Amino acid sequence: MIDRRTFLGTTAALGLASCASSTFASSSLQNGVTSEYGKLQRVIVHPPGPETRKALPMLLGGHSMLTWELLREEATSQHQHMVDLLRKLGAEVLLFQELLDDAIQQARKQNQWGDWLAAHAPQLVDFERTLDAAALLGCNDDFVYTNDDAGYFRPLIDPLTTMFFTRDCATMTPHGVIICNYNNALRSFEATLARFIFQYAAPLSGYEIVFDAKSENVFVQGGDILVVDEHTLMVGVGNSTSEQAASRLAEKLKMDVLAVQMPN
């Protein structure tokens, strides 16, 4: 067992290229990742956008990661600098918002967009024809600053203020993609959108979802998972990722899983 500080230090050392992102690195297995430090080939990122400046204080509580200390004015330019460096070094950078727009387009072509909305965002069904990725992410004021029939403030969509942590909602293993499931209801829609883009976006059609944490009825946050090698995962368990998730991952992926207890 190692303490949280040591575990997070290990995460930073092994996963610098994947920090705040969902990674697709070089692998002997097709469309899989076998290490946290191999040559990065493809990566999904989402820059801190307008949705991060639409935080609803009454919903956020006192968590330090959800205060304005995290996202200063220079956050967006710093993120763009990271993207520019990744591209300069040969990685293909895919933007989550563009993938989401493509997924919406593909779902429309397959006549499945309306059904998806009805199942996952029924409050938006009336806007089926005009909805785009920006609206689903909470970038559009018209869907955030709205009142209900009684005149009370009630957003049609809560802005996804932490969507830039794209590795949290989906992460890659040697065998395929894990779609995560948050133990935080305010972030659950992030995983819903991640599942949607892997199901419908054309650039992601070659990636298989091998573990869907919601379907498995366990909590998983992608930042808690490290790929040690093609046979082994390291999983931090605690508040964000449940102990049951580690055993289910081992069973489902047929891999060795080293569970590290994180302080509550």
Side-chain angles (χ1 to χ4, degrees):
M1 181 183 296
I2 59 177
D3 61 28
R4 186 178 183 86
R5 182 183 300 273
T6 304
F7 181 82
L8 292 178
T10 304
T11 303
L14 293 179
L16 288 177
S18 61
C19 186
S21 62
S22 177
T23 59
F24 300 84
S26 180
S27 171
S28 59
L29 302 175
Q30 185 177 13
N31 293 339
V33 167
T34 57
S35 79
E36 294 290 335
Y37 51 86
K39 180 175 174 57
L40 189 66
Q41 293 182 343
R42 304 186 86 190
V43 58
I44 298 174
V45 302
H46 180 69
E51 73 282 355
T52 63
R53 294 182 286 277
K54 292 181 173 59
L56 308 178
M58 73 287 286
L59 299 178
L60 297 184
H63 197 298
S64 61
M65 290 294 285
L66 296 175
T67 68
W68 301 120
E69 296 177 4
L70 177 65
L71 288 178
R72 300 183 187 277
E73 291 183 1
E74 60 269 27
T76 301
S77 61
Q78 289 175 352
H79 190 279
Q80 184 59 53
H81 181 61
M82 179 190 75
V83 169
D84 292 341
L85 285 175
L86 289 171
R87 286 174 170 158
K88 182 178 180 180
L89 293 171
E92 179 185 3
V93 179
L94 305 177
L95 299 179
F96 190 96
Q97 185 166 341
E98 291 181 359
L99 292 170
L100 185 53
D101 270 324
D102 185 79
I104 293 171
Q105 182 181 0
Q106 298 302 323
R108 282 191 172 118
K109 288 180 179 179
Q110 298 173 38
N111 294 319
Q112 295 178 7
W113 174 231
D115 291 340
W116 186 90
L117 275 179
H120 300 287
Q123 75 278 15
L124 299 175
V125 167
D126 291 343
F127 307 95
E128 176 185 342
R129 290 190 175 185
T130 58
L131 276 178
D132 59 8
L136 291 179
L137 292 167
C139 302
N140 190 327
D141 288 355
D142 293 338
F143 294 94
V144 175
Y145 301 116
T146 57
N147 296 334
D148 61 19
D149 293 338
Y152 294 105
F153 175 64
R154 191 172 302 280
L156 284 171
I157 195 78
D158 292 326
L160 301 184
T161 57
T162 52
M163 189 70 244
F164 53 89
F165 292 119
T166 49
R167 180 163 178 161
D168 280 350
C169 61
T171 192
M172 182 62 77
T173 74
H175 303 293
V177 181
I178 295 172
I179 301 295
C180 301
N181 184 31
Y182 291 102
N183 192 20
N184 178 349
L186 293 178
R187 296 191 69 188
S188 62
F189 198 55
E190 295 177 28
T192 298
L193 293 183
R195 183 183 300 105
F196 180 62
I197 66 170
F198 276 100
Q199 289 174 332
Y200 289 98
L204 303 181
S205 60
Y207 298 101
E208 179 184 0
I209 297 175
V210 294
F211 190 92
D212 189 322
K214 186 174 183 179
S215 298
E216 298 291 335
N217 198 30
V218 293
F219 293 118
V220 175
Q221 192 160 303
D224 287 336
I225 298 174
L226 294 177
V227 179
V228 179
D229 55 40
E230 63 184 79
H231 305 293
T232 314
L233 298 178
M234 182 180 289
V235 178
V237 298
N239 288 340
S240 299
T241 299
S242 59
E243 290 186 24
Q244 296 86 346
S247 59
R248 289 296 298 132
L249 283 164
E251 294 169 6
K252 192 88 172 184
L253 275 58
K254 308 299 183 188
M255 295 182 67
D256 295 327
V257 175
L258 306 177
V260 180
Q261 182 65 51
M262 309 293 279
N264 291 327

